[in-house]
């Protein structure tokens, strides 16, 4: 499994990694998204099996016990997120390069696992205030959950040096262009 190519996107919540990953998936037919498992509740715009596999805590812990995860983290209080080995295997068997949207610790762990077969990209913004504005605009979290995400941002921003490439996501079209170039260079397409 560690021989196939992978692209990892990590960032503090609200920086724009999901937006960039979705854009890349539309532009590169060579890529396929690794659908993670999570115990978070589904947002209205999300589809089970497409955005995430939404699991109960009991089912998630069962999968941990059965060693079904390549990596997993309790990213927020009571919220588990993890990359399923079977998901990555399935996509690599289909001949795809796999793209991940994971938290910073998960990103570092996946880079360690896939090494030179991985391109690890860190998405950042100029300030925590920008993150706050974007989370406000996305309007998917309760005020408490938003505060929890912002409180983690400073610590998450310290992970930048562990990544291969960095995108400062201010002007979105420039961020898309930069991400596209990184992917083209890495996949040599
Ligand atoms: P993440 O996946 O990193 O949590 P999202 O991709 O969900 O972040 O983006 C958070 C919010 O910010 C979304 O509402 C998205 O539309 C918006 N957004 C993303 N990039 C930009 C940008 N460059 N400028 C303004 N808003 C942005
Ligand atoms: P959200 O709840 O906003 O979808 O995601 C919260 C955080 O969990 C984001 O940083 C997202 O990238 C991360 N995440 C999603 N899936 C995984 C995963 O499989 N593993 C890890 N470690 N983090 C994940």
């Amino acid at each position: 499994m560690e021989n196939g190519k992978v692209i990892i996107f990590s960032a503090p919540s609200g920086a724009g990694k999901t937006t960039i990953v979705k854009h890349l998936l539309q532009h590169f037919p060579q890529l396929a998204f690794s659908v993670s498992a999570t115990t978070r509740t589904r947002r209205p715009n999300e589809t089970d099996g497409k955005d995430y596999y939404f699991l109960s805590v009991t089912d998630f812990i069962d999968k941990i016990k059965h060693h079904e995860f390549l990596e997993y983290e309790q990213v927020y209080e009571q919220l588990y997120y993890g990359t399923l080995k079977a998901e990555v295997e399935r996509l690599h068997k289909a001949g795809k390069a796999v793209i991940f949207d994971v938290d910073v610790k998960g990103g570092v762990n996946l880079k360690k696992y896939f090494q030179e077969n991985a391109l690890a990209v860190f998405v950042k913004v100029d300030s925590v205030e920008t993150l706050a504005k974007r989370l406000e605009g996305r309007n998917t979290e309760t005020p408490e959950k938003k505060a929890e995400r912002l409180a983690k941002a400073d610590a998450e921003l310290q992970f930048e040096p562990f990544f291969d490439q960095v995108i400062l996501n201010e002007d979105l079209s420039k961020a898309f262009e930069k991400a596209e170039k990184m992917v083209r260079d890495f996949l040599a397409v």
Side-chain angles (χ1 to χ4, degrees):
M1 170 158 62
E2 59 272 30
N3 293 329
K5 285 200 171 183
V6 306
I7 299 176
I8 303 157
F9 271 82
S10 296
S13 186
K17 63 190 174 308
T18 306
T19 306
I20 296 173
V21 166
K22 287 196 167 157
H23 173 83
L24 291 172
L25 283 162
Q26 282 171 357
H27 278 71
F28 292 93
Q30 302 87 342
L31 293 178
F33 182 60
S34 168
V35 179
S36 294
T38 184
T39 61
R40 168 164 78 57
T41 47
R42 193 176 60 77
R43 294 174 187 150
N45 64 331
E46 289 176 328
T47 309
D48 189 23
K50 185 168 163 273
D51 297 287
Y52 282 107
Y53 298 110
F54 294 96
L55 302 182
S56 65
V57 175
T58 315
D59 286 351
F60 197 104
I61 290 172
D62 212 46
K63 288 192 187 296
I64 298 174
K65 284 190 189 141
H66 290 100
H67 308 285
E68 290 184 41
F69 290 108
L70 201 50
E71 62 79 35
Y72 70 91
E73 296 287 335
Q74 189 177 351
V75 181
Y76 303 109
E77 178 83 20
Q78 296 292 317
L79 294 187
Y80 291 91
Y81 295 83
T83 304
L84 293 159
K85 290 179 187 169
E87 177 79 0
V88 179
E89 270 167 16
R90 179 174 71 78
L91 299 174
H92 273 159
K93 274 197 190 128
K96 299 287 186 178
V98 178
I99 188 161
F100 299 101
D101 173 340
V102 293
D103 87 311
V104 292
K105 286 189 188 159
V108 170
N109 286 333
L110 289 171
K111 176 66 191 178
K112 270 192 205 140
Y113 183 81
F114 289 102
Q115 302 200 18
E116 69 278 5
N117 289 316
L119 168 69
V121 184
F122 187 84
V123 181
K124 67 172 185 179
V125 289
D126 58 351
S127 68
V128 175
E129 287 69 41
T130 302
L131 287 180
K133 273 191 210 139
R134 290 193 187 164
L135 285 177
E136 200 62 49
R138 195 173 72 189
N139 197 24
T140 50
E141 261 67 37
T142 62
E144 294 75 33
K145 302 259 182 216
K146 233 178 318 194
E148 188 187 7
R149 284 167 184 249
L150 287 174
K152 257 193 118 172
D154 270 326
E156 289 173 332
L157 286 167
Q158 308 307 314
F159 280 77
E160 178 183 334
F162 300 106
F163 286 75
D164 300 316
Q165 300 277 359
V166 179
I167 295 177
L168 176 65
N169 179 20
E170 283 179 338
D171 179 312
L172 189 57
S173 55
K174 282 193 188 136
F176 283 165
E177 257 176 51
K178 205 168 170 191
E180 283 172 35
K181 178 164 175 14
M182 282 174 193
V183 171
R184 270 197 307 274
D185 290 350
F186 179 67
L187 296 182
V189 291

